Amino acid sequence: MKQQADWGPIWAVQRVVFQQYFKLDGRATRAEYWWFLGTYLSVALTMGVVIGLLGQAFQFDPEPVALVGSCLLAAGCLPALLALWVRRCLDLGRSATEGVLTFVGLFLMSLLAPIASGGWVVELPALLGQICDGLFIAGSGYSLFVGLWPGKKS
């Protein structure tokens, strides 16, 4: 078991956000990857719940506020998420170029899948929505592979 200083959500956030915010070299362990993602998702979920409760308490529509808040959170963490993803790919023996390209692809699919499926912004043909959904599911599976597969020994 690792020491307490090298483990947990606070350690992961300090390491990813403050020490290696846009560092595309080196390696990221599975623990660093999952602790940071868990913390990021917890913050996003908590922010959504708080905005929803405030919307009910003060009688305003929470959707636009939550959308802006989640976009700001994502924009602020995007370089850190990219760097973490690339370092995790490097830990698996993949190239940095492959890490950047797969991150961009996963990011685009996470944006396109809800738009193509629900027709929220534009109405797209059903086949395109199914293709985007399939690519999103495949990308999610690859993301799990990157997060769960043990890194290469150096």
Side-chain angles (χ1 to χ4, degrees), residues 65-142:
V65 178
L67 180 63
V68 169
S70 63
C71 287
L72 289 174
L73 179 66
C77 290
L78 192 66
L81 288 167
L82 170 64
L84 178 65
W85 177 265
V86 170
R87 287 196 321 274
R88 184 68 195 129
C89 287
L90 290 172
D91 190 41
L92 294 174
R94 308 256 194 265
S95 70
T97 304
E98 180 183 348
V100 170
L101 291 176
T102 56
F103 181 85
V104 169
L106 289 169
F107 180 73
L108 289 175
M109 281 302 104
S110 69
L111 292 177
L112 288 177
I115 292 171
S117 297
W120 295 339
V121 178
V122 293
E123 194 63 39
L124 297 174
L127 178 62
L128 183 60
Q130 292 171 345
I131 290 171
C132 285
D133 285 344
L135 289 173
F136 180 72
I137 291 169
S140 298
Y142 185 71

Side-chain angles (χ1 to χ4, degrees), residues 14-79:
Q14 286 175 341
R15 183 168 163 82
V16 173
V17 175
F18 298 113
Q19 295 173 357
Q20 299 180 343
Y21 187 70
F22 202 72
K23 185 179 176 191
L24 297 177
D25 59 343
R27 298 168 71 167
T29 64
R30 286 183 290 178
E32 179 182 355
Y33 180 80
W34 285 112
W35 277 118
F36 182 75
L37 285 183
T39 304
Y40 174 80
L41 292 174
S42 297
V43 168
L45 181 63
T46 303
M47 184 178 66
V49 168
V50 167
I51 290 172
L53 291 174
L54 288 174
Q56 289 222 322
F58 294 105
Q59 301 298 314
F60 66 87
D61 183 16
E63 273 189 45
V65 178
L67 180 63
V68 169
S70 63
C71 287
L72 289 174
L73 179 66
C77 290
L78 192 66

